[in-house]
Amino acid sequence: SQPQVTHITNQTELDFEVLMHAIPGVVYKAANPPNFELQYLSNEFERLFGYSQSEFIGNFAEWQRVVYHEDLKASENNFIRFITSTDHILSQEYRVWKKGKKELCWIRDRVYAKRDSSGVAVELYGVMMDISEEKENELARQEGEEKFSTFFNSINDAVFVHPIANNGFLPFVEVNDIAISRYGYSREEFLKMSAPDFTDEEEIVEHASEEFVGQLLRDRQIIFQTVHIKKNGERFPVEINSSIISLKGKSYILAVSRDITERIKNQKSIKEKQETLDGIFVAAPIGIGMTVNRTFELVNQRFCDMLGYTEEELIGNSSRIVYPSKEAYQEVGKEKYSLIEKFGVGEVEVEMQKKSGDSIDVILSSCPIDPNDLNKGVIFTCTDISKLKKTQNDLERAKMKAEESDRLKSS
């Protein structure tokens, strides 16, 4: 009956409107080829773009004016190729101006073509979805990957990227240019290799252990030293800084390998020099030490023996305790630092006081660690000249006595 038909029609239209509201995009219909005028636009069109449906219904040319000019030609060409083909689906992305032409919006336009028996498109049904946020995220991801790539190939260390394995090692998915030049393998060779292929056999067992991998997964970074082997067989020490990174939604291990050959050589050289200095410090027949702002920071045993103090009694105390008076302490400091300022080294003959209260004569030579910053400390040597002074005094008295004897004989 007519009322039943009317009810069904109304219900269908209601269901259609509900469906249109449920679709997250603009639904449209176009017909009347070849121009395909717009016959329907869902209400989402006004909310998304700010235009009313009436501005575009029956006016396809108006839509062309809101498509961003840099995307218009490609969009038109894609549409023409689609219409003249036998395809049923066209999906393309382009930018359109929102009302007022102050803000661009990226859309994904997906069209279905209803074709007649000869394959000619007679009606178009489409959905336009706002993908601006998706594009912004994609652009941010691309920029991030570009920055990562720039860093990846500009860093002066070998860099390897490989998936995480609970046991063992998986092949590399990327290596940088430094790795290729330093190890001697091509990129193609590296992408078929994993860390054990060029790591010392004895050490790789530890690196593959559950404990080692567990620490990396827990802390997301681990630094260790090992030995790598170049393609030509040359072995060299490296420091590996491994961390977990995320690339394209997946977790990987990024391992930065630093050649520490020179560092180890320098450390060995420093150690040897330090051992030599330690030997001199202990065996030297003179007192040696260091003060910072005239406070003892370092003294050798000879200096302690000269003055009768233990090392613990001197370290951390002012050097005032080895002078007979405050005035003597200040005078020595004034003269010594004046000489350092003029000549870089200050050498003075001074009287020091032992813990027992007895005095000794010494030659005190001082040299700053940094001439431009005396606060960094002063290295000093202290030579006991008490016996020499006594001998000189004895000789002087003997000389005077002999001269007096000669004078009496000749009178």
Side-chain angles (χ1 to χ4, degrees), residues 89-107:
I89 299 292
L90 168 66
S91 181
Q92 60 177 334
E93 297 174 358
Y94 53 89
R95 289 163 289 182
V96 298
W97 286 108
K98 291 188 176 183
K99 191 162 187 175
K101 290 195 173 184
K102 292 182 179 180
E103 182 182 354
L104 282 170
C105 172
W106 271 102
I107 63 168

Side-chain angles (χ1 to χ4, degrees), residues 129-182:
M129 300 186 67
D130 182 358
I131 59 169
S132 299
E133 185 175 349
E134 178 184 327
K135 282 292 186 178
E136 287 176 4
N137 293 336
E138 180 182 345
L139 180 61
R141 179 183 61 78
Q142 289 175 347
E143 290 177 348
E145 290 181 356
E146 288 173 1
K147 289 179 181 178
F148 175 79
S149 178
T150 300
F151 159 78
F152 194 71
N153 286 303
S154 62
I155 188 172
N156 196 34
D157 293 314
V159 184
F160 305 90
V161 179
H162 59 89
I164 300 173
N166 292 328
N167 291 297
F169 296 86
L170 295 175
F172 300 116
V173 296
E174 189 57 88
V175 297
N176 71 345
D177 296 338
I178 290 292
I180 294 168
S181 62
R182 184 166 294 166

